[in-house]
Amino acid sequence: MHILVTGGTGYIGSHAVLALTARGHTPVLVDNLSNSSKQVLTPLQELAGCELEFVEMDVSQRDQVQTLFAVHDFQAVLHFAGLKSIGQSVQSPEIYYRNNLLSTLNLAEVSASTGVQAFVFSSTGTVYAQNDGQPFREDDPLGPINPYSRSKWMCEQILRDISQSGSGFHLANLRYFNPAGAHESGKVGEGPTGFPHNLFPFLGQLAAGRQNVLTIHGDSYPTPDGTGVRDYIHILDLVEGHVAALDYMLTQAQSITLNLGTGTGFSVREVVTAFEHASGQKFTCKTGPVRAGDVAITLANADLAHQVLNWRASRGLKQMCADHWRWQTQNPNGYGR
Ligand code: NAD
Ligand code: UD1
């Protein structure tokens, strides 16, 4: 199938491209390169064993989306393009709403009018209202608490309404928890463009000697060791979930909302220990204050994805650390930016 991958040079999009080509699909990658580099195309083409079409464009610009669809006949869309930093979204909410909402609206509108059959959307586990009843199930109450997460929640509604209109496509609305790791080749991974605020990219740079000390953001949470617990999911499991969701929409002619996580949580200290083993290093850690916007625990209930897609994450924390470390070692400066 001819498949549009927006955000195709980004972290998740680039790994999804490999999952699609492995299944014989023909992805067309588009990206405005605001948070990624064209350099990823070289390892992607090498690993995919074929030329990949890349279009540098901004999907929040309606005319650019219309022009793209005028020269391509897409059967499916995987929409990864978006801004994703919670902190930045609090500083500049208008930029987040403009980029994420307009991109989604443009793509949904043009997809519906050109007969796209299946649309996969990158949503987030942060759309759920915080509660004590974790892990989150798909039918739990929603209540995003920052502009980034609210923009995703609004996109979910735009897409649901358009998918249910007469000309609509089938929609897989996928809520991700904490993607981590890299392609097992070590040639494709997560190359953050600025300071590594997230745990895995920071540990990668710490092990590589580019950072000195990990600040643990709080150790008095009501968790077994006091540090924050998250549901980390290997990037390859995550993108395989997308391919399964695509197959489901095309074979069952149904739309679906699903969590993509593992259902198992790891604390910051557990991740640190696992990364120390993977890299053969001992890290210096200090405890700092709780990070604004952080919660104690975030966990997915991943049962529905298993029931509906027959998909389950199979790779564990050890592999996430080993694969991230391999990528970091082979690409000390990410994609060179
Ligand atoms: P990423 O920043 O690596 O990739 C997103 C890509 O979209 C980037 O390459 C960026 O340049 C591009 N982009 C942004 N706005 C664009 C626009 N208007 N037009 C064209 N390209 C544009 O992020 P990622 O981690 O790969 O995330 C992919 C998607 O998954 C995002 O929508 C994100 O919100 C969502 N998500 C990510 C996580 C996570 O932890 N990584 C968790 C939940 C949801
Ligand atoms: C964050 C985002 C989330 C996004 C995800 C991308 C927030 C509040 N949430 O999730 O929307 O999808 O990144 O992967 O920004 N930690 C430290 N020290 C560090 C970095 C992190 O102790 O230097 C801790 C955090 O407090 C948290 C855990 O490690 O307990 C994971 O943090 P991180 O990787 O940033 O992910 P989230 O905060 O879960």
Side-chain angles (χ1 to χ4, degrees), residues 284-326:
T284 307
C285 303
K286 67 173 189 198
T287 301
V290 163
R291 185 172 63 174
D294 263 1
V295 294
I297 304 177
T298 307
L299 282 181
N301 177 318
D303 292 348
L304 189 60
H306 182 58
Q307 270 169 37
V308 172
L309 306 181
N310 196 26
W311 166 91
R312 240 193 228 297
S314 62
R315 299 164 178 90
L317 181 63
K318 191 174 168 189
Q319 189 169 347
M320 292 179 222
C321 295
D323 290 344
H324 188 101
W325 178 232
R326 190 177 307 107

Short mmCIF file of all heavy atoms in Angstrom, two decimals, residues 284-326:
data_model
loop_
_atom_site.label_atom_id
_atom_site.label_comp_id
_atom_site.label_asym_id
_atom_site.label_seq_id
_atom_site.Cartn_x
_atom_site.Cartn_y
_atom_site.Cartn_z
N THR A 284 26.67 8.72 38.37
CA THR A 284 26.50 9.57 39.54
C THR A 284 25.10 10.17 39.47
O THR A 284 24.73 10.77 38.45
CB THR A 284 27.55 10.72 39.51
OG1 THR A 284 28.84 10.13 39.35
CG2 THR A 284 27.48 11.54 40.78
N CYS A 285 24.35 9.98 40.55
CA CYS A 285 22.98 10.50 40.59
C CYS A 285 22.82 11.39 41.82
O CYS A 285 23.43 11.12 42.86
CB CYS A 285 21.96 9.36 40.71
SG CYS A 285 22.07 8.16 39.38
N LYS A 286 22.01 12.42 41.68
CA LYS A 286 21.64 13.21 42.86
C LYS A 286 20.14 13.43 42.81
O LYS A 286 19.53 13.37 41.73
CB LYS A 286 22.39 14.54 42.89
CG LYS A 286 22.00 15.48 41.77
CD LYS A 286 22.65 16.85 41.93
CE LYS A 286 22.04 17.79 40.90
NZ LYS A 286 22.74 18.98 40.60
N THR A 287 19.56 13.66 43.97
CA THR A 287 18.12 13.88 44.00
C THR A 287 17.83 15.37 43.94
O THR A 287 18.43 16.15 44.68
CB THR A 287 17.51 13.29 45.28
OG1 THR A 287 17.82 11.90 45.30
CG2 THR A 287 16.00 13.46 45.29
N GLY A 288 16.95 15.75 43.05
CA GLY A 288 16.53 17.15 42.95
C GLY A 288 15.05 17.24 43.25
O GLY A 288 14.41 16.24 43.60
N PRO A 289 14.51 18.46 43.12
CA PRO A 289 13.07 18.62 43.39
C PRO A 289 12.22 17.93 42.34
O PRO A 289 12.70 17.62 41.24
CB PRO A 289 12.87 20.14 43.32
CG PRO A 289 14.06 20.67 42.58
CD PRO A 289 15.17 19.70 42.74
N VAL A 290 10.98 17.71 42.69
CA VAL A 290 10.01 17.13 41.75
C VAL A 290 9.89 18.06 40.54
O VAL A 290 9.88 19.28 40.69
CB VAL A 290 8.65 16.99 42.50
CG1 VAL A 290 7.51 16.81 41.54
CG2 VAL A 290 8.73 15.87 43.50
N ARG A 291 9.83 17.48 39.34
CA ARG A 291 9.70 18.27 38.11
C ARG A 291 8.23 18.70 37.93
O ARG A 291 7.32 17.88 38.11
CB ARG A 291 10.15 17.43 36.92
CG ARG A 291 10.20 18.15 35.60
CD ARG A 291 10.83 17.30 34.52
NE ARG A 291 10.07 16.08 34.25
CZ ARG A 291 10.37 15.23 33.27
NH1 ARG A 291 11.41 15.43 32.50
NH2 ARG A 291 9.64 14.16 33.09
N ALA A 292 8.05 19.97 37.59
CA ALA A 292 6.68 20.47 37.42
C ALA A 292 5.94 19.61 36.40
O ALA A 292 6.49 19.27 35.35
CB ALA A 292 6.72 21.92 36.93
N GLY A 293 4.72 19.25 36.73
CA GLY A 293 3.88 18.47 35.79
C GLY A 293 4.07 16.98 35.91
O GLY A 293 3.33 16.21 35.30
N ASP A 294 5.07 16.52 36.69
CA ASP A 294 5.31 15.08 36.83
C ASP A 294 4.28 14.43 37.76
O ASP A 294 3.79 15.08 38.70
CB ASP A 294 6.70 14.82 37.42
CG ASP A 294 7.74 14.52 36.36
OD1 ASP A 294 7.39 14.52 35.16
OD2 ASP A 294 8.90 14.29 36.74
N VAL A 295 4.01 13.17 37.52
CA VAL A 295 3.15 12.41 38.42
C VAL A 295 3.95 11.22 38.93
O VAL A 295 5.03 10.92 38.40
CB VAL A 295 1.88 11.92 37.69
CG1 VAL A 295 1.01 13.09 37.29
CG2 VAL A 295 2.23 11.07 36.48
N ALA A 296 3.43 10.55 39.98
CA ALA A 296 4.17 9.44 40.58
C ALA A 296 4.27 8.25 39.62
O ALA A 296 5.34 7.70 39.38
CB ALA A 296 3.49 9.01 41.88
N ILE A 297 3.11 7.86 39.09
CA ILE A 297 3.05 6.61 38.30
C ILE A 297 2.21 6.84 37.06
O ILE A 297 1.16 7.49 37.13
CB ILE A 297 2.38 5.48 39.12
CG1 ILE A 297 3.12 5.26 40.45
CG2 ILE A 297 2.32 4.19 38.34
CD1 ILE A 297 2.49 4.21 41.35
N THR A 298 2.65 6.32 35.93
CA THR A 298 1.81 6.26 34.73
C THR A 298 1.93 4.86 34.15
O THR A 298 3.03 4.42 33.82
CB THR A 298 2.27 7.27 33.66
OG1 THR A 298 2.34 8.55 34.26
CG2 THR A 298 1.29 7.33 32.53
N LEU A 299 0.80 4.19 34.04
CA LEU A 299 0.80 2.82 33.53
C LEU A 299 -0.37 2.61 32.59
O LEU A 299 -1.47 3.12 32.83
CB LEU A 299 0.60 1.82 34.68
CG LEU A 299 1.77 1.49 35.59
CD1 LEU A 299 1.32 0.48 36.62
CD2 LEU A 299 2.93 0.93 34.77
N ALA A 300 -0.14 1.83 31.54
CA ALA A 300 -1.22 1.48 30.61
C ALA A 300 -1.82 0.14 30.99
O ALA A 300 -1.09 -0.77 31.38
CB ALA A 300 -0.66 1.38 29.20
N ASN A 301 -3.12 0.01 30.82
CA ASN A 301 -3.71 -1.32 30.73
C ASN A 301 -3.66 -1.65 29.23
O ASN A 301 -4.31 -0.96 28.43
CB ASN A 301 -5.14 -1.31 31.25
CG ASN A 301 -5.80 -2.67 31.11
OD1 ASN A 301 -5.64 -3.33 30.10
ND2 ASN A 301 -6.55 -3.08 32.12
N ALA A 302 -2.89 -2.65 28.85
CA ALA A 302 -2.67 -2.94 27.43
C ALA A 302 -3.49 -4.15 26.95
O ALA A 302 -3.22 -4.71 25.89
CB ALA A 302 -1.18 -3.17 27.18
N ASP A 303 -4.51 -4.52 27.74
CA ASP A 303 -5.28 -5.73 27.39
C ASP A 303 -6.08 -5.59 26.11
O ASP A 303 -6.21 -6.53 25.33
CB ASP A 303 -6.24 -6.10 28.53
CG ASP A 303 -5.49 -6.56 29.77
OD1 ASP A 303 -4.27 -6.80 29.65
OD2 ASP A 303 -6.11 -6.64 30.84
N LEU A 304 -6.65 -4.39 25.90
CA LEU A 304 -7.53 -4.24 24.74
C LEU A 304 -6.74 -4.41 23.44
O LEU A 304 -7.19 -5.07 22.50
CB LEU A 304 -8.23 -2.87 24.77
CG LEU A 304 -9.32 -2.68 23.73
CD1 LEU A 304 -10.44 -3.71 23.89
CD2 LEU A 304 -9.92 -1.26 23.82
N ALA A 305 -5.54 -3.84 23.39
CA ALA A 305 -4.72 -4.00 22.18
C ALA A 305 -4.42 -5.48 21.94
O ALA A 305 -4.39 -5.95 20.80
CB ALA A 305 -3.42 -3.20 22.31
N HIS A 306 -4.22 -6.22 23.02
CA HIS A 306 -3.95 -7.66 22.86
C HIS A 306 -5.19 -8.38 22.33
O HIS A 306 -5.10 -9.16 21.38
CB HIS A 306 -3.52 -8.25 24.20
CG HIS A 306 -3.19 -9.71 24.11
ND1 HIS A 306 -2.22 -10.20 23.26
CD2 HIS A 306 -3.72 -10.79 24.72
CE1 HIS A 306 -2.16 -11.52 23.36
NE2 HIS A 306 -3.07 -11.90 24.23
N GLN A 307 -6.34 -8.06 22.92
CA GLN A 307 -7.59 -8.71 22.48
C GLN A 307 -7.91 -8.41 21.02
O GLN A 307 -8.25 -9.28 20.24
CB GLN A 307 -8.77 -8.14 23.27
CG GLN A 307 -9.10 -8.84 24.55
CD GLN A 307 -10.10 -7.96 25.32
OE1 GLN A 307 -10.97 -7.32 24.76
NE2 GLN A 307 -9.95 -7.93 26.63
N VAL A 308 -7.80 -7.13 20.66
CA VAL A 308 -8.28 -6.68 19.36
C VAL A 308 -7.26 -6.93 18.26
O VAL A 308 -7.61 -7.33 17.15
CB VAL A 308 -8.64 -5.18 19.45
CG1 VAL A 308 -8.95 -4.60 18.09
CG2 VAL A 308 -9.80 -4.97 20.39
N LEU A 309 -6.00 -6.68 18.56
CA LEU A 309 -4.96 -6.75 17.52
C LEU A 309 -4.13 -8.03 17.61
O LEU A 309 -3.29 -8.28 16.74
CB LEU A 309 -3.99 -5.56 17.63
CG LEU A 309 -4.55 -4.16 17.63
CD1 LEU A 309 -3.42 -3.14 17.73
CD2 LEU A 309 -5.37 -3.91 16.36
N ASN A 310 -4.29 -8.77 18.71
CA ASN A 310 -3.39 -9.88 18.99
C ASN A 310 -1.94 -9.39 19.03
O ASN A 310 -1.01 -10.05 18.56
CB ASN A 310 -3.56 -11.01 17.96
CG ASN A 310 -2.94 -12.29 18.46
OD1 ASN A 310 -2.84 -12.50 19.67
ND2 ASN A 310 -2.53 -13.15 17.54
N TRP A 311 -1.77 -8.21 19.57
CA TRP A 311 -0.44 -7.59 19.68
C TRP A 311 -0.11 -7.40 21.16
O TRP A 311 -0.98 -7.04 21.95
CB TRP A 311 -0.47 -6.22 18.99
CG TRP A 311 0.73 -5.36 19.33
CD1 TRP A 311 1.91 -5.29 18.64
CD2 TRP A 311 0.87 -4.45 20.45
NE1 TRP A 311 2.77 -4.41 19.27
CE2 TRP A 311 2.15 -3.88 20.38
CE3 TRP A 311 0.04 -4.09 21.50
CZ2 TRP A 311 2.62 -2.96 21.30
CZ3 TRP A 311 0.49 -3.17 22.44
CH2 TRP A 311 1.78 -2.61 22.33
N ARG A 312 1.12 -7.68 21.51
CA ARG A 312 1.61 -7.37 22.85
C ARG A 312 3.07 -6.97 22.73
O ARG A 312 3.79 -7.52 21.90
CB ARG A 312 1.55 -8.62 23.73
CG ARG A 312 0.67 -8.46 24.95
CD ARG A 312 0.90 -9.60 25.92
NE ARG A 312 -0.32 -10.22 26.42
CZ ARG A 312 -1.24 -9.61 27.15
NH1 ARG A 312 -1.14 -8.36 27.44
NH2 ARG A 312 -2.29 -10.27 27.57
N ALA A 313 3.50 -6.03 23.56
CA ALA A 313 4.91 -5.68 23.58
C ALA A 313 5.70 -6.88 24.09
O ALA A 313 5.29 -7.52 25.06
CB ALA A 313 5.13 -4.48 24.50
N SER A 314 6.80 -7.22 23.41
CA SER A 314 7.55 -8.41 23.81
C SER A 314 8.95 -8.08 24.31
O SER A 314 9.62 -8.92 24.89
CB SER A 314 7.65 -9.38 22.63
OG SER A 314 8.36 -8.76 21.58
N ARG A 315 9.42 -6.86 24.06
CA ARG A 315 10.80 -6.52 24.42
C ARG A 315 10.81 -5.83 25.79
O ARG A 315 9.98 -4.96 26.04
CB ARG A 315 11.41 -5.61 23.35
CG ARG A 315 11.47 -6.27 21.97
CD ARG A 315 11.70 -5.24 20.89
NE ARG A 315 11.81 -5.79 19.56
CZ ARG A 315 10.78 -5.98 18.73
NH1 ARG A 315 9.55 -5.69 19.09
NH2 ARG A 315 10.99 -6.47 17.52
N GLY A 316 11.76 -6.17 26.61
CA GLY A 316 11.80 -5.67 27.99
C GLY A 316 12.77 -4.51 28.16
O GLY A 316 13.41 -4.04 27.22
N LEU A 317 12.88 -4.08 29.43
CA LEU A 317 13.72 -2.94 29.77
C LEU A 317 15.19 -3.17 29.39
O LEU A 317 15.87 -2.27 28.92
CB LEU A 317 13.59 -2.67 31.28
CG LEU A 317 14.39 -1.49 31.82
CD1 LEU A 317 13.92 -0.17 31.20
CD2 LEU A 317 14.27 -1.43 33.35
N LYS A 318 15.64 -4.42 29.59
CA LYS A 318 17.05 -4.73 29.29
C LYS A 318 17.34 -4.42 27.82
O LYS A 318 18.36 -3.82 27.47
CB LYS A 318 17.27 -6.22 29.59
CG LYS A 318 18.69 -6.66 29.58
CD LYS A 318 18.77 -8.11 30.04
CE LYS A 318 20.15 -8.65 29.76
NZ LYS A 318 20.24 -10.08 29.98
N GLN A 319 16.42 -4.84 26.94
CA GLN A 319 16.64 -4.60 25.51
C GLN A 319 16.52 -3.12 25.14
O GLN A 319 17.25 -2.62 24.29
CB GLN A 319 15.66 -5.44 24.67
CG GLN A 319 16.03 -5.39 23.19
CD GLN A 319 15.28 -6.38 22.34
OE1 GLN A 319 14.63 -7.30 22.86
NE2 GLN A 319 15.36 -6.20 21.04
N MET A 320 15.59 -2.42 25.81
CA MET A 320 15.48 -0.97 25.53
C MET A 320 16.82 -0.29 25.83
O MET A 320 17.29 0.54 25.06
CB MET A 320 14.38 -0.34 26.40
CG MET A 320 12.98 -0.78 26.05
SD MET A 320 11.78 0.00 27.16
CE MET A 320 10.69 -1.38 27.50
N CYS A 321 17.42 -0.66 26.97
CA CYS A 321 18.69 -0.02 27.36
C CYS A 321 19.81 -0.44 26.41
O CYS A 321 20.60 0.41 25.96
CB CYS A 321 19.06 -0.41 28.79
SG CYS A 321 17.91 0.21 30.02
N ALA A 322 19.88 -1.74 26.09
CA ALA A 322 20.95 -2.22 25.20
C ALA A 322 20.84 -1.55 23.83
O ALA A 322 21.85 -1.11 23.26
CB ALA A 322 20.87 -3.73 25.07
N ASP A 323 19.62 -1.44 23.31
CA ASP A 323 19.45 -0.87 21.97
C ASP A 323 19.70 0.64 21.97
O ASP A 323 20.29 1.18 21.04
CB ASP A 323 18.04 -1.19 21.43
CG ASP A 323 17.90 -2.67 21.09
OD1 ASP A 323 18.93 -3.35 20.97
OD2 ASP A 323 16.75 -3.15 20.95
N HIS A 324 19.26 1.31 23.04
CA HIS A 324 19.54 2.76 23.11
C HIS A 324 21.04 3.00 23.19
O HIS A 324 21.58 3.89 22.56
CB HIS A 324 18.82 3.42 24.29
CG HIS A 324 18.94 4.91 24.26
ND1 HIS A 324 17.94 5.74 23.81
CD2 HIS A 324 20.00 5.74 24.52
CE1 HIS A 324 18.36 7.00 23.83
NE2 HIS A 324 19.61 7.02 24.26
N TRP A 325 21.70 2.16 23.99
CA TRP A 325 23.15 2.34 24.18
C TRP A 325 23.90 2.06 22.86
O TRP A 325 24.85 2.75 22.50
CB TRP A 325 23.63 1.43 25.31
CG TRP A 325 25.12 1.50 25.55
CD1 TRP A 325 25.98 0.44 25.62
CD2 TRP A 325 25.92 2.67 25.77
NE1 TRP A 325 27.26 0.88 25.86
CE2 TRP A 325 27.26 2.25 25.94
CE3 TRP A 325 25.64 4.03 25.81
CZ2 TRP A 325 28.30 3.15 26.17
CZ3 TRP A 325 26.68 4.93 26.04
CH2 TRP A 325 28.00 4.48 26.21
N ARG A 326 23.47 1.01 22.12
CA ARG A 326 24.12 0.72 20.83
C ARG A 326 23.98 1.92 19.88
O ARG A 326 24.92 2.35 19.23
CB ARG A 326 23.49 -0.53 20.19
CG ARG A 326 24.25 -1.03 18.97
CD ARG A 326 23.66 -2.31 18.40
NE ARG A 326 23.51 -3.36 19.38
CZ ARG A 326 22.34 -3.75 19.89
NH1 ARG A 326 21.22 -3.21 19.48
NH2 ARG A 326 22.29 -4.70 20.80
#
